[in-house]
Amino acid sequence: MFLRKRQSKGADDLTSLCRTLLSHRGDVSGARLATEVVRTWQSLDAAGRESFFDRLATEFTPDATAVAAAVDAYQKHPAPATLMRLQRAVDSPRQELFRRWNIAGGGTAALIELRRRLLQTLKAHPERAGIDTDLIHLFRSWFNRGFLVLQRIDWHTPAVVLERLIEYEAVHQIQGWRDLRRRLDADRRCFAFFHPALPDEPLIFIEAALTTGMSDAVQPLIDPESPVGDPARADTAIFYSITNCQKGLRGVSFGNVLIKQVVEDLGREFPRLRTFATLSPIPGFRAWAEAQNARWTQVDAATATAAVKLELTMLCAQYLMHARRDNEPADSVARFHLANGASLDRLNWMADPSPNGLQRSFGFMANYIYRPEDLEHNHEIFARESRVIASRAIEKLARPAA
Amino acid sequence: MFLRKRQSKGADDLTSLCRTLLSHRGDVSGARLATEVVRTWQSLDAAGRESFFDRLATEFTPDATAVAAAVDAYQKHPAPATLMRLQRAVDSPRQELFRRWNIAGGGTAALIELRRRLLQTLKAHPERAGIDTDLIHLFRSWFNRGFLVLQRIDWHTPAVVLERLIEYEAVHQIQGWRDLRRRLDADRRCFAFFHPALPDEPLIFIEAALTTGMSDAVQPLIDPESPVGDPARADTAIFYSITNCQKGLRGVSFGNVLIKQVVEDLGREFPRLRTFATLSPIPGFRAWAEAQNARWTQVDAATATAAVKLELTMLCAQYLMHARRDNEPADSVARFHLANGASLDRLNWMADPSPNGLQRSFGFMANYIYRPEDLEHNHEIFARESRVIASRAIEKLARPAA
Amino acid sequence: MFLRKRQSKGADDLTSLCRTLLSHRGDVSGARLATEVVRTWQSLDAAGRESFFDRLATEFTPDATAVAAAVDAYQKHPAPATLMRLQRAVDSPRQELFRRWNIAGGGTAALIELRRRLLQTLKAHPERAGIDTDLIHLFRSWFNRGFLVLQRIDWHTPAVVLERLIEYEAVHQIQGWRDLRRRLDADRRCFAFFHPALPDEPLIFIEAALTTGMSDAVQPLIDPESPVGDPARADTAIFYSITNCQKGLRGVSFGNVLIKQVVEDLGREFPRLRTFATLSPIPGFRAWAEAQNARWTQVDAATATAAVKLELTMLCAQYLMHARRDNEPADSVARFHLANGASLDRLNWMADPSPNGLQRSFGFMANYIYRPEDLEHNHEIFARESRVIASRAIEKLARPAA
Amino acid sequence: MFLRKRQSKGADDLTSLCRTLLSHRGDVSGARLATEVVRTWQSLDAAGRESFFDRLATEFTPDATAVAAAVDAYQKHPAPATLMRLQRAVDSPRQELFRRWNIAGGGTAALIELRRRLLQTLKAHPERAGIDTDLIHLFRSWFNRGFLVLQRIDWHTPAVVLERLIEYEAVHQIQGWRDLRRRLDADRRCFAFFHPALPDEPLIFIEAALTTGMSDAVQPLIDPESPVGDPARADTAIFYSITNCQKGLRGVSFGNVLIKQVVEDLGREFPRLRTFATLSPIPGFRAWAEAQNARWTQVDAATATAAVKLELTMLCAQYLMHARRDNEPADSVARFHLANGASLDRLNWMADPSPNGLQRSFGFMANYIYRPEDLEHNHEIFARESRVIASRAIEKLARPAA
């Protein structure tokens, strides 16, 4: 009871600080006030944050009377002037509030953190959706691709950034500094997008291996003991991991731009590269297969017979080519690469024999190919028809047996 | 006729490129398309720009049917959900268009230039106000103070930036590189705000002289031959010029933050500084005085008698204390500093005897004082009551003779 | 036999490349030739290096005839002109050779490595001393303190540099990245000297802890789990480790300058710091004590009685105050700090209970104090008289019992 | 008299400070003392400097007794050990002194300035040659090419550096900032060598124009109003000016390395460049011609007849091919480029019609060609035989008429 009070007091204080920040005093002492706002926000505990989200959802919203009046005026006379009045009236004071938060040192990071926590509560609190709308509107402006900086990550990168890579890497976990170092060696490339206001925080990063031939297994790529190849002789760049770092920036997409730009940059640095491809997980395959037929729950891919292997391969091709959710490919990784204009090229049996890989997809991984000259066309077809563009081999595998 | 056609063709091309940029193709090939958009825009001549502004004003606007429907829905049931729908419906596609322009290298600069040109046409074309609203909305997000970088400008600054200072300085023109160099010498300080996407373009800059006592004349400060003082002995920082560089960013204010931050930084670097003051022009005084009484049109301040000098001084005090426009001080410079929380401290006779200075204000200049501890309080009084806070001496001068 | 030949062939090739580098061709194609020289050197194995050292020792030396003639001339008429001729005649061609090596990218590092290997052979090959003399002569010019750059090392430092710290730290080994991170946290400071030609290679680094009171034990300082203190409240900076990184730069001293400069910098950053002291090992104590009296070989300090503890403490004080080698304090760490002008302040029982610490000094460590105002005076006394400047307490402990 | 005393007092003080700097006190307080030394040096006037040079010449020299003993020892037994003793004995204490000066901030610059002033006095004071020998010995170590950094100079370069270019350019004076800006425009390149200890001071810089065809006149290249060409279409890089900036570094050569490296860098940036050539003055031609035949004193090249032009052209070819001084080409510019391995390609009539150009060489300029693949070979021939390598056309012109 007491705690609850104290916390609602924290949220009260913060709400009141936010009001001041939006007032005349904020015009002059914005930096000082914004710093106080950020600190107070950071000191809230879970109950305090809940309470503050409620305040954000109900206060700092457009003035209902002004909206009603603007709506009336527009209805009577729909015209540029009444439209502008309407736009002004529905413009959320939260946006100006967040813009002023941002003046504080660390303000941008605090807002990303605020949204990260907000997102966790949205299901239970759909009435908070408006806060999210305001935040994502701002983030889309602030994190405009034109403001992002592509940086190569290597062993000359500050430790504070490398540590984040170890922390964030989601696809193939990095097992400490030795593992990381191998991933940054001469035959590897890692690139990240940064925003000038967050110099130590990668927004997204991609890991590539420069190889001869298209990799069909991920273990050799992430093995810290693997021999280091000569990048000048490589003919293929394999993107084996791409990681969005900031949960609070969900919905602000960077991935497609990042891959495209890295393909261009690598092509320039290594003119012998011919193929740019991913080695990607197929996260939804096993769950889908098991839902199709309960017998797959029993299968141990590591000891499967050739017949089972063939059957699973065909099933996997069918999954990627035909399984749909909301009229799009059911597999989230497939959706991402196909929407970028890549094409599905090959399935690789036992490409990821880790427990995680077996659990997700019986160890299968897919190669998606990025052909710079096809990306735009493929993307348009996919955007129009949601059709999966794949190699003949995969199309054939996916065909129902006669 | 032919030319006109060609230009409207330019605008047609650009409009059509803009549509593509907003389409699926823009998702994948944003950078390439945005670059083409920016180049096409830059190749337009005056007629082409006019034509393109018309297209921007009438196309890329919210869908009228969707707005009407959202308005109806809100009116029937004003609630968070219908409000969000309304916000989405009135959101201008131009904003997304401009966000995509920005992906191009040089995109930000091109948009600032676009607005600069647009502003010149707004009086004649009020129907274009919506374009301006969309641009300024974006610019307020993009040029958020939290993203600006304060940089000292000195003789180690790249020439490309210094050249801009010479070009932009509006208050006391810089007569070439020798003049500039004096203004950056040991007893001077110059600071500017930069945005990371425009590294060579100052947004605003301020020039200060470190002096003993508060300057009462500007010529010694801008004289390239003046002896260089020892900044460590100075007790006063005189801000004698502040220049907004980007006309296309009009209405996005940086000035107040810049002065405040520079006051803090100088106070830290030179602990002996006691006074932070401006030496400011009084741009509207002479015009106002002449409107009051035609005899002032004849006055040559340089040869004025003591009596005339006194009369003018009192008149000047009255002007700054009491002349109003829209219930605010009529003088634009006074409005700026008072709104920042500064106070009007002193009037200086023949402080700027240049033709320009005589023409604006009979050569008068004003000192406004920035006392860090008073700024917030002063600003609030000014914001609430529009009352001019001034020294006793000036209040007395401004009092009507008994 | 065959190998030996091959290697002497490697040394032959290198010798011949060195001759070319010194010739006219080297004037024009210095960079290319120097790069070849460096690569050939790096490809030599142990036998090849031995062979090359022999060639360096006997060839590339001053021309004997010219020296003899210059010696004669000087003897006949000792004057500035004959002295200059003599200087020219004895000037070693090896110096010009090494200067030309240095043109290659990586040349400086290769020469440091060359000297590191050379030093290992000097005892067995005193005739190679001249090579060493030439190298150290060059290094003293190149690594002049005026060219060194002091840099703070923290978590923003590139990993490539941090990795070297882990590798080089000799006093208290760094157990991986977590340990390192603790040593770079908010209540610690680490500084290193760098040379512009070796941007990734620290020459020497020092680790300090900001504490309250003078530390009497090293384990809390190097415990990765120790709580992080507030540096703004510290009154003492404890230097607990200083490491020379480059064995090939032995004899080019940086340590005294580094400590002095760090003391100044820390004093400026944290005005509340009152005491600057080391917590230093006493490497020679136990060996000396055991040589004095064999009974000390049996002592287990960890379980010693109070009487033994007292006896050892007095013995340690005597060792530091009076044990001499070549008329200087026998303890190398003591020599270093006393020569810098520090004074011996306190002995700490069980300050380093690690096996290493027990083995070196029964676990004792010493605090040496750096008082900026006393350094010069202390150093002069020490340089003149080799007298150990110590606190009263230690002087008293060192006094022979009556 | 009084002044003289005061100045000799200044030199006394400085001498005594130098002694302290070399003493034990200098070991500990080197930076402080060195700073005092530099300041005292800088405060000396001409008489004081003269006096200090005398002290430097006679004191801080090797100990005569030690030299005599080492000479004896060597004579008795010439061996590595006695040679090393001799080297140590003749090693000048001035070198250690100057190394310690260098610790001061600004020390390197002060020593360069000291040598610049010293050089002006050497003719009158040959006994000071030893000081110069010591300085140049140090400078050759410190300014080793391996430590120099090549930087492109353009409009992004700090003004403090650009100002030096205006000041230093000796070949074709830069007439202010507008002129400089043209020389740094898109179809020009300027590169300079810097030393890390002198970040604002170019050591040497070279100016190149990217042109179509080999320039035969310099005015179009240095005309601030000349149209800016497209560098991507250029087939020729014309080096029209190369300037050594630091008189105090005379004899430490950078020029040959600079040209070679710039040729390589430009070739990489602009693969269409086929010819790398200079457009060079012929400083000694007119004086030589006039010495040959007094009638040339009367010639006004600007109005010369075709016959005179031909005669002068042949004479110029003879001058460059055959005029010798100390068995080397008499022309200093020719010596420089030929020693670098360039070849004399073409003579250009009225290539520099400025008063200066007419005065030096009747307006003639020469093109020397740098063919990367020939440089080494040419240099060797020149070094061995001092033979001028020239085009057939010039050889023919230089042939005495039958």
Side-chain angles (χ1 to χ4, degrees), chain B residues 341-393:
Chain B
S343 63
L344 174 58
D345 196 68
R346 197 172 71 182
L347 296 180
N348 302 288
W349 172 254
M350 280 298 126
D352 179 5
S354 73
N356 212 348
L358 293 172
Q359 158 64 28
R360 280 195 297 224
S361 56
F362 304 104
F364 276 103
M365 298 188 83
N367 297 121
Y368 296 89
I369 288 199
Y370 279 76
R371 272 187 209 91
E373 63 278 17
D374 293 344
L375 296 181
E376 201 174 299
H377 180 70
N378 288 354
H379 167 75
E380 280 200 58
I381 294 179
F382 184 78
R384 211 168 41 221
E385 316 170 16
S386 288
R387 181 147 62 82
V388 176
I389 299 188
S391 63
R392 295 235 169 153

Side-chain angles (χ1 to χ4, degrees), chain D residues 126-183:
Chain D
E127 78 281 5
R128 295 178 185 166
I131 313 175
D132 187 45
T133 304
D134 288 337
L135 282 167
I136 204 164
H137 182 94
L138 273 181
F139 290 165
R140 283 204 176 125
S141 278
W142 288 351
F143 293 91
N144 186 290
R145 305 171 196 179
F147 299 141
L148 302 188
V149 181
L150 183 73
Q151 271 175 18
R152 182 168 167 201
I153 304 286
D154 59 18
W155 205 233
H156 279 84
T157 302
V160 66
V161 172
L162 298 182
E163 186 181 42
R164 305 277 154 88
L165 263 58
I166 298 179
E167 179 189 345
Y168 292 141
E169 157 69 91
V171 187
H172 304 289
Q173 287 209 341
I174 302 176
Q175 313 292 343
W177 291 85
R178 210 169 113 265
D179 185 0
L180 176 65
R181 201 193 159 158
R182 177 65 191 90
R183 297 194 191 194

Side-chain angles (χ1 to χ4, degrees), chain A residues 154-163 177-178 181 200, chain C residues 154-163 177-178 181 200:
Chain A
D154 60 19
W155 206 233
H156 279 85
T157 302
V160 66
V161 171
L162 297 181
E163 187 181 41
W177 291 85
R178 210 170 113 265
R181 202 193 157 157
D200 297 340
Chain C
D154 60 20
W155 206 233
H156 279 83
T157 302
V160 67
V161 172
L162 297 183
E163 188 180 40
W177 291 84
R178 211 171 111 266
R181 202 194 157 156
D200 297 339

Side-chain angles (χ1 to χ4, degrees), chain C residues 194-260:
Chain C
F194 288 84
H195 187 275
L198 298 168
D200 297 339
E201 274 291 351
L203 304 179
I204 187 172
F205 66 93
I206 190 168
E207 297 167 71
L210 304 172
T211 62
T212 305
M214 195 162 68
S215 302
D216 59 3
V218 77
Q219 296 310 322
L221 299 181
I222 60 176
D223 176 4
E225 301 303 332
S226 60
V228 178
D230 177 357
R233 300 189 170 192
D235 58 16
T236 306
I238 292 289
F239 302 108
Y240 62 95
S241 185
I242 181 162
T243 302
N244 278 296
C245 304
Q246 309 295 331
K247 286 186 181 156
L249 292 179
R250 203 173 72 192
V252 188
S253 66
F254 311 115
N256 55 342
V257 211
L258 179 61
I259 295 191
K260 274 206 55 174

Side-chain angles (χ1 to χ4, degrees), chain B residues 244-288:
Chain B
N244 277 296
C245 304
Q246 310 295 331
K247 287 188 181 154
L249 291 180
R250 201 172 75 192
V252 188
S253 67
F254 311 115
N256 55 341
V257 210
L258 180 60
I259 296 191
K260 274 206 57 175
Q261 197 166 335
V262 167
V263 164
E264 281 172 28
D265 287 9
L266 288 178
R268 225 174 291 123
E269 190 183 355
F270 300 105
R272 297 177 76 166
L273 289 181
R274 289 288 162 266
T275 308
F276 299 90
T278 72
L279 184 60
S280 303
I282 311 171
F285 174 39
R286 181 161 193 153
W288 176 85

